[in-house]
Amino acid sequence: MNARLQGIWNKRLRTPIVSAIRYAVLAVLAYQLLYPLLYMLSMALRRPEEVTDPSVIWIPKTFSLQNFTDTLRVMDFWDAFANSMYVGVGCGLLDVVSCAFVAYGFARFRFPFSNVLFALVILTLVVPVQTIILPLYADMKYFDAFGLMKLWSAVTGGPGSISLIGKYASFYLPSLFAMGLRSGLYIFIFRQFFAGMPKELEDAAYVDGYGPFKTFFRIMLPNAKNAVITVFLFSFVWHWNEYYLSNLWLGNLKKNFAIALSSLRVDLQSVVNVQTISDPLVVLTRIQAGALLSILPLLVLYLVTQRYFTDSVEHVGIK
Amino acid sequence: MFRLQTMPYPKKKQLYGLLFILPWAIGFVLFFAGPLVTSLKYAFHNMEMTPAGLKGKFIGWENFRYAIFKDPEFIREAANSFVNILYAVPLILVYALFVAVLLKNNFRGRGFMRAVAFLPVIIASGVLMDILKEDVFSQGMRGGVDSVYLFGGGGIEGVLTELGFGPKLIEVFNNVIARIFDLTWRSGVQVLLFLAGLHAISGDLYEASSVEGARPWEQFWKITLPMLTPIMLLNIVYTIIDTFTDYGNGVILMIYDTAFSQVRFGYSSALSWLYCLAIGLFLGIVYLLLRKRIVHSQD
């Protein structure tokens, strides 16, 4: 009897029951992860009066775009969009090239202290940026690159240092030298990726007379497409969302979405705008609209690259 | 004359390796090592903003002594973050592993679920998370929307009391429940790493074991989990660093405040150095405890 039950279980019931449980779990997960997005959308589309209306749960009775048009104006949407794009795309590209370049050195060459140096790469991830932020700020404010600027000024009589505060360069320069926001992680990802690529690829290139640099740019980098997309997406997204450093480096001179979003509540209520908003329900719906607007470009980018991104997960093959 | 062509091959390779990491080395000195040394110097000084610029007076260990023995806030905030880690790491790991295993299998709608599962990586940011927590989360708690059941622990509390759990245990449980939203939204990268790790496990192992008669359950404990231990370590380290250096972290906020609102640069540097050393020590202990349990596959 028991054996028969077991047989029925194995043959007929097992698969449908397991998959039913799986779909139930997945549905809960999807709901939980999509909930904030749906909430933002639902709040942003409704009129403020409907926030407290108990008969409206998800779908507003009357759709209103007032929230969006207001927020677009208060946030200086296009300005914030441009600033976020400059930082995100610029640093994304710089991070990809510089981190891949450095990681290739770590993955394929043995040189004195290479392990110690790689440990230092990891160390840069461990030390919170707050530890070094004060001297770093001073360095950015009076940037003179190893005293080279001073030397230059002694020759030409120009200024002994330049201020990078309020300039995109304060983000670009560290990224260019593989020391930007979480660059250590990108070096790590690329190193894993290059270490997993067949050595024959390089040997063939060397036989053809390529030098190491040509091999890297012509053979290795183009073959690392998935890792490139993953790192670019990470870098783009994390720079886009970066508030702390944006606030310090760019501040109000170049407002990006992170800064605009953090001050949105105050900006909505401030007198600077033509009409101030004091109704908390109006502020609530406007803020949701603002939040949605600021991540909309990210969502679009994600939907486009999502396929490569998830594909790359299967091929990065971290060991 | 010095010529590259006449250099022996291994020497040349070393040189090329160094050339490849040169950009990083420059960046490291310019944007990390230099500021790090300066901040250590600050920590031993009483820094003041004067009209002539930043001036410091050497005061020895005074900043550190004050932080450890006199400042009640620092020790409390630091203890909080360490307790926080004890919750966060196991929860994030279990959740991320669970989701990664679910997503690895083939099923209808896998592409969609994968896209959804990585959403936190894309949109979870400091500012946005604050707005989400403030509005979405609290809205649910207020009972306006049907998310009470999802995020609130109110109903469960009664059930647990009935079952005879002590108030301490219930408090722990409530803490866990209250953090679920926060934690799932911070596990994006971990899910990603686990998934990559799962795909790296050779299919031969599963084939061989099922020929021997192993069930999926046994395969999970005997193959999947041991093979994932290196990624597990990576995830633990990543989670610890991510949680400790998060901008919403109490100590981080305090360090920022001390420097930029109270203008006590020296003291702020001392705080961040202490915190940094504590993190390093904690990571070291975790690494030593886990090192023996890491399974290295031979290939």
Side-chain angles (χ1 to χ4, degrees), chain A residues 3-307:
Chain A
R4 231 185 101 208
L5 269 178
Q6 186 103 41
I8 292 175
W9 165 250
N10 275 341
K11 254 188 234 136
R12 261 183 292 161
L13 287 171
R14 193 188 169 97
T15 329
I17 286 180
V18 166
S19 79
I21 292 174
R22 178 190 292 139
Y23 277 112
V25 171
L26 288 173
V28 171
L29 269 179
Y31 176 70
Q32 204 210 342
L33 290 169
L34 288 175
Y35 179 85
L37 279 184
L38 296 175
Y39 176 88
M40 277 185 235
L41 192 64
S42 165
M43 278 293 164
L45 281 174
R46 72 179 69 174
R47 297 158 66 87
E49 304 88 72
E50 288 186 19
V51 171
T52 45
D53 187 344
S55 64
V56 175
I57 295 175
W58 282 110
I59 301 166
K61 280 182 188 150
T62 42
F63 287 92
S64 152
L65 290 177
Q66 181 71 37
N67 290 323
F68 286 108
T69 51
D70 254 22
T71 320
L72 279 174
R73 185 172 53 81
V74 174
M75 278 175 87
D76 273 334
F77 180 86
W78 292 110
D79 204 31
F81 180 77
N83 285 328
S84 284
M85 282 302 260
Y86 275 125
V87 173
V89 173
C91 289
L93 292 176
L94 288 171
D95 267 333
V96 163
V97 176
S98 66
C99 292
F101 188 79
V102 170
Y104 184 65
F106 278 116
R108 279 291 202 260
F109 296 94
R110 292 283 125 237
F111 42 87
F113 304 113
S114 56
N115 285 331
V116 178
L117 289 173
F118 192 70
L120 289 179
V121 172
I122 301 300
L123 182 76
T124 61
L125 280 176
V126 178
V127 174
V129 72
Q130 282 78 6
T131 306
I132 58 167
I133 199 68
L134 281 170
L136 196 56
Y137 188 84
D139 279 2
M140 289 289 187
K141 182 101 188 169
Y142 306 101
F143 186 78
D144 72 344
F146 297 118
L148 285 178
M149 288 283 297
K150 274 204 188 63
L151 209 67
W152 180 248
S153 80
V155 177
T156 61
S161 68
I162 45 167
S163 169
L164 298 183
I165 301 299
K167 297 204 174 79
Y168 297 124
S170 53
F171 276 108
Y172 290 164
L173 266 182
S175 282
L176 178 67
F177 289 106
M179 264 313 296
L181 192 63
R182 303 206 200 186
S183 284
L185 188 66
Y186 311 142
I187 294 178
F188 186 82
I189 292 174
F190 270 123
R191 193 188 77 136
Q192 295 286 340
F193 195 89
F194 288 136
M197 270 163 109
K199 274 219 160 60
E200 289 80 8
L201 221 57
E202 287 151 320
D203 292 340
Y206 289 147
V207 169
D208 281 353
Y210 279 24
F213 296 109
K214 208 171 170 189
T215 308
F216 171 75
F217 283 111
R218 291 278 176 82
I219 311 286
M220 297 309 270
L221 200 56
N223 272 305
K225 196 174 118 199
N226 284 324
V228 166
I229 288 171
T230 304
V231 166
F232 178 79
L233 193 66
F234 272 158
S235 174
F236 181 83
V237 162
W238 282 331
H239 278 100
W240 188 279
N241 288 333
E242 174 61 44
Y243 166 70
Y244 184 80
L245 289 179
S246 308
N247 198 24
L248 278 172
W249 295 162
L250 305 177
N252 285 329
L253 294 168
K254 289 192 166 65
K255 269 195 181 189
N256 62 14
F257 276 124
I259 302 172
L261 196 58
S262 74
S263 62
L264 183 56
R265 195 182 296 268
V266 181
D267 285 349
L268 281 169
Q269 294 164 336
S270 73
V271 246
V272 181
N273 297 294
V274 188
Q275 79 224 87
T276 61
I277 300 167
S278 53
D279 184 354
L281 293 179
V282 180
V283 173
L284 179 83
T285 49
R286 301 282 197 272
I287 283 181
Q288 295 306 325
L292 198 61
L293 282 175
S294 71
I295 56 166
L296 203 61
L298 285 186
L299 287 177
V300 171
L301 178 80
Y302 179 56
L303 287 179
V304 174
T305 57
Q306 182 277 116
R307 198 163 50 87

Side-chain angles (χ1 to χ4, degrees), chain B residues 5-295:
Chain B
Q5 267 75 16
T6 56
M7 239 169 144
Y9 184 65
K11 265 260 171 304
K12 216 152 89 180
K13 275 210 96 169
Q14 280 190 6
L15 184 74
Y16 278 127
L18 287 169
L19 280 177
F20 267 104
I21 66 151
L22 187 65
W24 171 81
I26 295 173
F28 181 80
V29 173
L30 207 54
F31 299 111
F32 187 82
L36 197 67
V37 171
T38 314
S39 106
L40 186 62
K41 204 183 79 194
Y42 281 4
F44 290 101
H45 285 72
N46 187 12
M47 305 302 293
E48 264 172 3
M49 259 321 218
T50 60
L54 204 56
K55 282 266 151 53
K57 204 175 83 216
F58 185 76
I59 51 167
W61 292 94
E62 191 45 48
N63 280 329
F64 292 96
R65 213 173 290 143
Y66 185 82
I68 295 173
F69 298 112
K70 292 205 184 113
D71 193 337
E73 212 188 331
F74 176 66
I75 295 294
R76 198 180 57 226
E77 288 292 355
N80 269 347
S81 353
F82 278 93
V83 171
N84 197 24
I85 279 286
L86 295 183
Y87 283 110
V89 171
L91 278 172
I92 286 182
L93 280 188
V94 171
Y95 171 82
L97 181 60
F98 177 72
V99 174
V101 170
L102 268 181
L103 290 180
K104 201 224 161 191
N105 296 324
N106 237 325
F107 56 87
R108 199 187 289 246
R110 182 172 82 154
F112 171 75
M113 268 316 291
R114 283 191 170 192
V116 170
F118 298 142
L119 265 181
V121 183
I122 309 303
I123 53 180
S125 74
V127 182
L128 193 68
M129 268 309 265
D130 283 348
I131 289 180
L132 287 182
K133 266 195 267 187
E134 215 171 289
D135 288 345
V136 185
F137 194 21
S138 63
Q139 190 75 10
M141 298 296 259
R142 256 184 263 135
V145 194
D146 51 340
S147 68
V148 197
Y149 304 105
L150 207 59
F151 304 129
I156 298 164
E157 198 169 327
V159 177
L160 286 178
T161 321
E162 287 291 312
L163 285 171
F165 284 99
K168 258 261 170 307
L169 253 170
I170 291 177
E171 199 195 310
V172 170
F173 193 79
N174 268 344
N175 259 327
V176 172
I177 296 277
R179 276 158 215 242
I180 286 180
F181 175 82
D182 194 21
L183 291 179
T184 51
W185 273 84
R186 271 129 101 343
S187 330
V189 173
Q190 287 86 338
V191 172
L192 200 82
L193 289 173
F194 269 137
L195 200 54
L198 285 174
H199 280 292
I201 300 175
S202 145
D204 302 350
L205 289 171
Y206 291 105
E207 261 173 50
S209 69
S210 57
V211 169
E212 302 276 335
R215 287 156 184 280
W217 183 249
E218 290 163 334
Q219 286 179 337
F220 176 78
W221 290 103
K222 297 271 153 90
I223 300 174
T224 311
L225 216 51
M227 294 298 282
L228 275 184
T229 45
I231 301 270
M232 198 86 81
L233 182 71
L234 182 66
N235 261 341
I236 290 173
V237 171
Y238 178 82
T239 310
I240 291 174
I241 294 171
D242 200 43
T243 314
F244 272 141
T245 58
D246 186 67
Y247 299 137
N249 183 300
V251 183
I252 297 292
L253 284 176
M254 195 184 156
I255 292 170
Y256 184 80
D257 248 32
T258 315
F260 291 98
S261 306
Q262 305 173 20
V263 207
R264 292 158 73 194
F265 292 142
Y267 188 51
S268 171
S269 290
L271 287 184
S272 54
W273 265 90
L274 277 177
Y275 188 58
C276 198
L277 289 177
I279 299 173
L281 202 66
F282 188 76
L283 280 174
I285 293 170
V286 168
Y287 182 73
L288 285 180
L289 285 177
L290 294 176
R291 197 181 47 174
K292 293 244 168 67
R293 294 179 174 76
I294 303 296
V295 177

